Amino acid sequence: MMTDEGRKCLPNMNIESFAIHPEVMSALKKDKEAYANFIALPQLYRRIRIDTIQSCLHRNEPELFNGRLKKFIEKTKANKLFGSWHDDGRLLEY
């Protein structure tokens, strides 16, 4: 329901364009249990959580980046999902 003018403001929404920053991937791979759980997570959840973490890099907020990354790894290691990531199930098809 967006206009063409509104779509011009959007970033590339193609799933294939999403990339995980090497620093994030390296931190995940350091903990084998967390990484194994990460691989099993729903794709949408992974993209949303990682994007939330990586957005701090673009704004040059290293403390927030490190805090979010640490929390994500802790929750992932415990095999727990957190946050509102699927819009009450409406986004699960993406």
Side-chain angles (χ1 to χ4, degrees), residues 21-24 51-62 64-66:
H21 191 277
E23 190 174 343
V24 173
D51 185 63
T52 300
I53 295 164
Q54 292 180 166
S55 68
C56 301
L57 290 173
H58 303 296
R59 295 189 312 257
N60 196 25
E61 297 176 300
L64 187 56
F65 169 81
N66 290 323

Side-chain angles (χ1 to χ4, degrees), residues 75-94:
K75 295 285 189 182
T76 303
K77 184 174 183 168
N79 210 21
K80 296 190 186 251
L81 304 181
F82 66 99
S84 178
W85 61 276
H86 60 60
D87 199 20
D88 294 320
R90 289 185 290 245
L91 297 176
L92 291 176
E93 63 191 58
Y94 296 101

Side-chain angles (χ1 to χ4, degrees), residues 31-57:
D31 188 313
K32 293 187 187 308
E33 187 177 357
Y35 185 69
N37 290 343
F38 171 74
I39 295 301
L41 292 171
Q43 288 285 331
L44 176 64
Y45 178 81
R46 288 168 38 178
R47 287 193 309 273
I48 289 172
R49 289 286 130 232
I50 297 297
D51 185 63
T52 300
I53 295 164
Q54 292 180 166
S55 68
C56 301
L57 290 173

